[in-house]
Amino acid sequence: MAQAAAVAKPPAPPRRRRASAAPRRLPYLLIAPAALLMLGFIAYPVLSVFYYSLRDYNPTKPWRNGFAGFDNFTRIFTDDPLFWDTLVFSAKWVFVEVGLQLLFGLALALVVNQTFVGRALGRALVFSPWAVSGVLTSAIWVLLYNSQTGITRYLADMGIGEYGVSWLSDTSTVFPAAVVADLWRGVPFFAILILADLQSVSQDLYEAAEVDGASRFKQFWHITLPHLKDAIILSTLLRAVWEFNNVDLLYTLTGGGPAGTTTTLPLYIANTSVDAHDFGYASALTTVAFVILLFCSTVYLRLSKFGGEK
């Protein structure tokens, strides 16, 4: 009987099960403080923007502050032509910048991926502009575009153009000038990401393609580009979001001028909040910009089939 009772002994008590579950919860407990801090620093500003977008809030005119409902959004889409102008320019800016940065970044990555004397120095020179801050980049190009001491002065000395010409003050040249300045900073970003992905391409694929008689272009089209698909999609998406939110470079170079021709939507939001102190309307503009970016990013990822078969 005693042996039968010993055989029929019940399983381990629940206390042991609870003790074994503790190690599984330990990683979450360890990252909880950082996660809560990140949630606070991200969620609170976002919720604050949504809250103030439904209010009239101007610290210089407190008697007008109060709940506005959707009046700010109605004003955006019906009574504010500057919103549409800045949105169109933002789309143009993103399309031109991201397209050119991808093109030149891909070309640079392919060049520095080759074996040649001084490759390490060449890579350092290619990547160095990305290490320069946005404000410092803007200051450098402001000096380069200075009409008295910059590029136009040296071109005039060589008989090209006239003295005293400012590319940043002319509506016909300000956009190309701003594009070139941002290209100098943005191209290394694509070159770095694409080069990192190029390092993982198996050389056996290229050797097999050469044996089959494939040209360099066919190797690039059928081997390199498919392998770089996800890297290109991710880098273009990230850079598009950053370029859409670009404020520092355009603010320093042109201030949104001349005559508002280089004012992006984020720059318009900054002017509305900082200069006009209309934080309620600026919050509504920010909310609209957030929805536009979220929608465009989702559509882009779906259409590009990011993470799918190469």
Side-chain angles (χ1 to χ4, degrees), residues 203-215:
Q203 294 300 317
D204 295 339
L205 297 175
Y206 294 105
E207 294 175 359
E210 289 181 1
V211 171
D212 293 337
S215 62

Side-chain angles (χ1 to χ4, degrees), residues 4-29:
V7 172
K9 187 177 180 180
R15 181 182 301 176
R16 187 173 299 174
R17 294 179 184 175
R18 290 196 296 268
S20 62
R24 293 197 299 268
R25 293 195 297 265
L26 181 60
Y28 301 99
L29 294 176

Side-chain angles (χ1 to χ4, degrees), residues 260-274:
T261 54
T262 59
T263 302
T264 59
L265 181 56
L267 185 55
Y268 177 46
I269 294 172
N271 292 334
T272 302
S273 58
V274 177

Side-chain angles (χ1 to χ4, degrees), residues 49-89:
V49 168
F50 291 157
Y51 170 75
Y52 284 111
S53 67
L54 302 175
R55 299 180 61 84
D56 288 324
Y57 182 68
N58 190 330
T60 63
K61 301 175 182 178
W63 59 89
R64 294 185 179 179
N65 296 343
F67 182 74
F70 293 99
D71 291 347
N72 288 327
F73 296 97
T74 303
R75 175 184 167 190
I76 290 174
F77 295 108
T78 59
D79 300 327
D80 189 359
L82 289 178
F83 166 74
W84 297 106
D85 293 341
T86 56
L87 182 60
V88 170
F89 178 76

Side-chain angles (χ1 to χ4, degrees), residues 57-261:
Y57 182 68
N58 190 330
T60 63
K61 301 175 182 178
W63 59 89
R64 294 185 179 179
N65 296 343
F67 182 74
F70 293 99
D71 291 347
N72 288 327
F73 296 97
T74 303
R75 175 184 167 190
I76 290 174
F77 295 108
T78 59
D79 300 327
D80 189 359
L82 289 178
F83 166 74
W84 297 106
D85 293 341
T86 56
L87 182 60
V88 170
F89 178 76
S90 297
K92 176 184 175 182
W93 174 262
V94 170
F95 181 79
V96 172
E97 278 294 342
V98 175
L100 291 178
Q101 289 177 20
L102 172 61
L103 180 63
F104 290 115
L106 176 60
L108 278 177
L110 292 174
V111 170
V112 298
N113 189 47
Q114 304 299 317
T115 302
F116 56 89
V117 177
R119 184 175 67 171
L121 178 61
R123 288 181 175 181
L125 292 176
V126 168
F127 302 151
S128 58
W130 184 246
V132 181
S133 67
V135 175
L136 184 56
T137 299
S138 304
I140 292 172
W141 284 94
V142 165
L143 294 175
L144 288 175
Y145 288 143
N146 187 282
S147 59
Q148 302 300 323
T149 60
I151 299 174
T152 56
R153 171 62 183 273
Y154 291 100
L155 291 176
D157 290 340
M158 294 185 294
I160 304 174
E162 301 177 355
Y163 289 99
V165 175
S166 177
W167 290 344
L168 298 178
S169 301
D170 190 341
T171 55
S172 62
T173 58
V174 63
F175 181 73
V179 166
V180 171
D182 201 48
L183 280 177
W184 183 81
R185 182 178 63 171
V187 167
F189 170 77
F190 283 95
I192 293 171
L193 289 185
I194 293 175
L195 177 62
D197 208 24
L198 281 174
Q199 303 295 309
S200 62
V201 182
S202 175
Q203 294 300 317
D204 295 339
L205 297 175
Y206 294 105
E207 294 175 359
E210 289 181 1
V211 171
D212 293 337
S215 62
R216 286 292 183 92
F217 177 77
K218 288 185 177 180
Q219 293 178 31
F220 171 77
W221 188 260
H222 295 288
I223 298 177
T224 306
L225 272 186
H227 187 87
L228 296 176
K229 173 190 171 185
D230 286 347
I232 291 176
I233 293 173
L234 181 60
S235 58
T236 51
L237 176 60
L238 292 175
R239 196 62 189 160
V241 173
W242 294 341
E243 289 296 346
F244 184 88
N245 293 320
N246 190 342
V247 172
D248 54 353
L249 185 136
L250 287 175
Y251 182 82
T252 307
L253 283 180
T254 67
T261 54

